[in-house]
Amino acid sequence: MMEWRTDQMDSSVFAPCVATVGFFDGVHKGHQYLMKQVRNVASRLGLPSMVITFANHPRKVTDAGYCPRLLTTFDEKSRLLAATGVDYGCVLTFTPAMASLTAEAFMHEYLQERFHVKALVMGYDHRFGSDRKGVEACRGYGEQYGIQVYAADEYRNGSQCHVSSSTARQAVMAGDMKGAYRLLGHPYGLEAVVVDGQHLGRTIGFPTANLELTGTDKLLPCDGVYAVWMWIDGQRYAGMANLGQRPTVNDSEKKTLEIHLLDFHQNIYGQKVQVEFMEYVRAEQKFEGLDALTRALEQDREQVRQILFEEKQV
């Protein structure tokens, strides 16, 4: 199990190690492949492995107007990184002072002095420091500070498109949840608390769990109806989600996420749940009254059953 540390801890708690540095939004297949290479180098050198990441998005510090749309919250990212098998995680808070550091200064002050890094595995196209230095420049700095610098191989999977956080975001924003799954290696999801709603769904035979969407930089898929899995207290339940503004019954522009769980009758108000978006079903649309809406929901529910229980999902 990964042990997490912070840069506020005394440097004496950090043993010599093999590390990699990055924000790692989404912890997609490319990141997972990078972590595998970190573990391999660490095994060869007989050292523990460590991933160094950030609690906040660096660009929010360097660009005050930037509003990130993240594939993972920090808690989600932490769990996914822990699942890669790396021994240690170190969390840095990105600050203006850190933003001003050159790559050489960061390697000296943080990697050598604080974290005792003996080998650094860099993404093949990764650059860091205020001067945006890549692998070759960092190799030279590493020679000065006793840090071997390795260039990681790019993740390749046949003819699959380039794997990056950006391509995964594009898939999510387009509602291509199967494509996002192939890039991430795991379903795209979110965590939220179930809150009280208007209870309209219950009156037409489709009670829903209404999820709180505020207070996060988390990227949402495009509006529409989705086949989803919802995790409640470690148990998985099939569901039909509507993400959008509920145009048939709502005159507000507030975005909502409502999930009708199939064959589920428990009270889960106030609980934190996890939702995995498996497949886009249709666009959100306005119907001519509740009867038309009910008929559409009945069709959606049957399609969701087929997607989740009968079809190959990815």
Side-chain angles (χ1 to χ4, degrees), residues 1-2 9 13 47 74 76 101 107 120-121 140 180 218 229 238 280 301 304 309:
M1 186 173 183
M2 178 184 283
M9 294 179 173
V13 306
L47 296 172
F74 181 74
E76 291 168 344
L101 293 177
M107 290 183 70
L120 174 67
V121 183
K218 179 83 176 185
W229 293 109
Y280 179 86
R301 182 163 56 189
V304 165
F309 296 110

Side-chain angles (χ1 to χ4, degrees), residues 23-229:
F23 189 68
F24 304 118
D25 186 29
V27 194
H28 55 64
K29 285 185 175 180
H31 295 146
Q32 295 163 35
Y33 185 53
L34 171 62
M35 300 306 159
K36 181 179 179 180
Q37 294 176 75
V38 173
R39 297 198 321 269
N40 288 343
V41 172
S43 178
R44 271 201 322 268
L45 298 180
L47 296 172
S49 55
M50 184 166 73
V51 55
I52 300 170
T53 191
F54 302 95
N56 55 327
H57 198 294
R59 190 171 163 188
K60 288 188 75 171
V61 174
T62 59
D63 180 356
Y66 178 65
C67 296
R69 292 183 291 181
L70 301 180
L71 295 166
T72 44
T73 64
F74 181 74
D75 286 345
E76 291 168 344
K77 180 172 70 171
S78 298
R79 287 196 296 272
L80 290 168
L81 286 172
T84 66
V86 173
D87 297 311
Y88 297 101
C90 183
V91 184
L92 305 182
T93 299
F94 199 83
T95 63
M98 188 180 293
S100 69
L101 293 177
T102 63
E104 180 181 2
F106 182 84
M107 290 183 70
H108 175 57
E109 180 177 335
Y110 282 90
L111 300 189
Q112 182 198 30
E113 295 293 328
R114 295 196 189 185
F115 305 143
H116 309 311
V117 173
K118 296 301 180 184
L120 174 67
V121 183
M122 294 181 61
Y124 69 97
D125 61 349
H126 184 64
R127 294 179 178 277
F128 69 91
S130 60
D131 47 355
R132 309 301 299 156
K133 295 298 185 180
V135 173
E136 290 307 316
C138 291
R139 278 201 179 110
Y141 305 143
E143 290 177 0
Q144 300 178 50
Y145 302 121
I147 302 172
Q148 299 179 61
V149 176
Y150 297 83
D153 295 329
E154 181 181 8
Y155 173 76
R156 295 285 186 180
N157 185 16
S159 59
Q160 188 180 64
C161 68
H162 175 65
V163 177
S164 68
S165 298
S166 295
T167 54
R169 287 189 198 99
Q170 291 167 8
V172 171
M173 289 188 290
D176 180 11
M177 309 320 297
K178 288 186 174 182
Y181 193 119
R182 287 190 291 269
L183 292 164
L184 295 170
H186 51 81
Y188 186 74
L190 57 81
E191 294 181 340
V193 174
V194 180
V195 296
D196 200 10
Q198 297 178 353
H199 304 286
L200 179 62
R202 191 175 303 278
T203 67
I204 60 174
F206 287 88
T208 60
N210 300 272
L211 303 190
E212 177 61 60
L213 297 178
T214 59
T216 176
D217 291 327
K218 179 83 176 185
L219 173 68
L220 293 174
C222 64
D223 291 355
V225 176
Y226 292 86
V228 302
W229 293 109

